[in-house]
Amino acid sequence: HADVAMYQAKALGRDGVQFFTPELNERAHKRLRLESRLRHAADRSELALHYQPRVAAASGRMVAVEALLRWDSPELGCVQPAEFIPIAEESRLIVPIGAWVVREACRQHAAWKAAGYGAIPISINVSALQLRDPALVGTLDAALAEFGVEPAALELELTESTLMEAVEETLAQLHALKRLGVKLSVDDFGTGYSSLNYLNRFPIDRLKIDRSFVRRVLDDPADLAITRAIVGLGHTLGLQVVAEGVETEAVAAELRAAACDELQGFVFAPALPAAELIAWLVERRAKVGSALEAATPTI
Ligand code: C2E
Ligand code: MG
Ligand code: MG
Ligand code: MG
């Protein structure tokens, strides 16, 4: 926390020198405030997971949910992941927070199953620091065991850039995760710099095409071409391909035509609190049936 300590020292004017403009000072203060509040957020039950459905492109049936972290702070209000995840990463708070996410996702999976909604596969997002944490496999193993969750029902989303950092180290960890039996997907695919050679060596199950391509498939022929190429690449490597950020039915139709396997986005539902996700699912099942039986052999 050298940088934070320095910000603090400067902000307090301890060295008597004002290096920061008032605006920078304000930003440093805000960061510090966020970090110290975030440090206690999990203990004070201010964190929650919301769940966004992922649907089969062909049938529209829900096949899984992605757990997305929400922070409702009594002092700061609703803080967006874009604002607090980078701070959690820089301060390494993402490691204990990530462990909370793992356990909470397993708890929710078991609660839904016990309530008769089926074994809904859940994916969670995992940062680079968490992936490189030697305790990750143990954390996952303990949570899966505590709640009796089938490992294949849990999927870890790792961004392309996370995977391409420290490749050899990453590869060993990915194999340890595969031995545990969890699924792995590459998040925000297309925004980093994948070596196709590594992609082939990584024991991954799924590619998630980044929203930046998906939202422009109708307007930009290059983005449509990239999307089609990613689907082709994924299928050649034996991977499932998901498009994220699908906002309209017209985009969904274009992605179905491009042979995308699964779709996720606001056109179906945003990330919802657990109870609202179930209400959505019940309505969805009444309309298009349940995908969970069909998905069982592969999950
Ligand atoms: P991500 O994993 O790529 O998640 C997708 C983001 O896109 C989510 O934002 C989701 O709400 C949003 N989204 C989904 N569909 C649409 C759509 O149709 N249109 C638009 N405009 N947006 C859509 P969110 O929840 O704000 O999360 C942002 C990022 O924060 C995530 O990106 C992920 O990288 C990170 N994150 C969230 N939860 C966690 C967590 O538990 N752990 C870690 N390490 N990172 C997390
Ligand atoms: Mg994700
Ligand atoms: Mg993503
Ligand atoms: Mg992202």
Side-chain angles (χ1 to χ4, degrees):
H1 308 306
D3 59 328
V4 174
M6 187 192 73
Y7 277 139
Q8 193 161 35
K10 300 274 161 59
L12 296 174
R14 223 177 275 162
D15 55 8
V17 184
Q18 182 60 273
F19 287 131
F20 292 97
T21 62
E23 190 188 318
L24 267 176
N25 240 327
E26 183 42 44
R27 232 198 289 160
H29 266 302
K30 191 169 180 211
R31 222 207 90 110
L32 269 175
R33 211 158 48 225
L34 276 177
E35 188 186 321
S36 68
R37 298 265 152 79
L38 192 53
R39 198 170 290 281
H40 303 288
D43 307 335
R44 295 176 187 161
S45 316
E46 295 168 15
L47 298 178
L49 291 180
H50 284 194
Y51 300 91
Q52 185 179 35
R54 202 168 81 217
V55 310
S59 67
R61 292 171 173 181
M62 190 183 88
V63 288
V65 292
E66 175 174 4
L68 292 157
L69 194 55
R70 297 291 179 260
W71 178 22
D72 193 357
S73 157
E75 298 98 349
L76 306 165
C78 227
V79 190
Q80 291 305 302
E83 207 174 334
F84 72 83
I85 295 285
I87 293 172
E89 286 171 342
E90 285 161 38
S91 60
R92 304 188 70 94
L93 283 171
I94 195 66
V95 174
I97 289 174
W100 180 86
V101 168
V102 166
R103 197 171 170 275
E104 176 61 11
C106 288
R107 188 200 62 74
Q108 186 62 74
H109 175 90
W112 280 332
K113 195 172 167 190
Y117 298 109
I120 300 172
I122 296 188
S123 70
I124 58 174
N125 293 283
V126 171
S127 295
L129 212 57
Q130 289 176 270
L131 182 65
R132 289 198 294 267
D133 176 10
L136 177 65
V137 172
T139 300
L140 287 163
D141 198 24
L144 292 167
E146 180 181 355
F147 296 103
V149 176
E150 194 63 45
L154 188 67
E155 181 162 318
L156 309 189
E157 299 195 1
L158 307 154
T159 67
E160 190 181 9
S161 6
T162 293
L163 289 174
M164 294 301 150
E165 257 169 49
V167 168
E168 293 306 322
E169 199 186 337
T170 300
L171 203 50
Q173 181 74 308
L174 295 184
H175 283 293
L177 292 168
K178 280 320 281 184
R179 279 195 299 277
L180 193 62
V182 297
K183 301 275 182 187
L184 301 174
S185 62
V186 186
D187 205 351
D188 304 348
F189 189 77
T191 56
Y193 304 89
S194 284
S195 155
L196 297 185
N197 178 41
Y198 283 130
L199 203 57
N200 191 31
R201 284 175 63 201
F202 286 145
I204 50 177
D205 302 284
R206 202 182 313 277
L207 295 181
K208 298 191 78 175
I209 308 174
D210 192 70
R211 182 151 60 89
S212 56
F213 305 109
V214 170
R215 66 159 182 249
R216 292 192 301 254
V217 291
L218 293 177
D219 316 315
D220 187 340
D223 286 315
L224 178 58
I226 291 169
T227 299
R228 285 180 174 276
I230 295 175
V231 176
L233 170 71
H235 288 170
T236 301
L237 296 176
L239 308 174
Q240 292 267 305
V241 183
V242 191
E244 58 180 9
V246 182
E247 293 186 352
T248 65
E249 189 41 54
V251 167
E254 191 65 59
L255 293 163
R256 277 185 213 106
C260 248
D261 303 291
E262 295 170 352
L263 310 175
Q264 185 179 336
F266 293 170
V267 69
F268 306 106
L272 299 166
E276 285 174 41
L277 185 274
I278 287 301
W280 181 90
L281 176 61
V282 166
E283 198 181 310
R284 190 84 182 167
R285 281 177 177 174
K287 238 189 302 184
V288 296
S290 173
L292 289 183
E293 301 84 16
T296 301
T298 59
I299 59 172

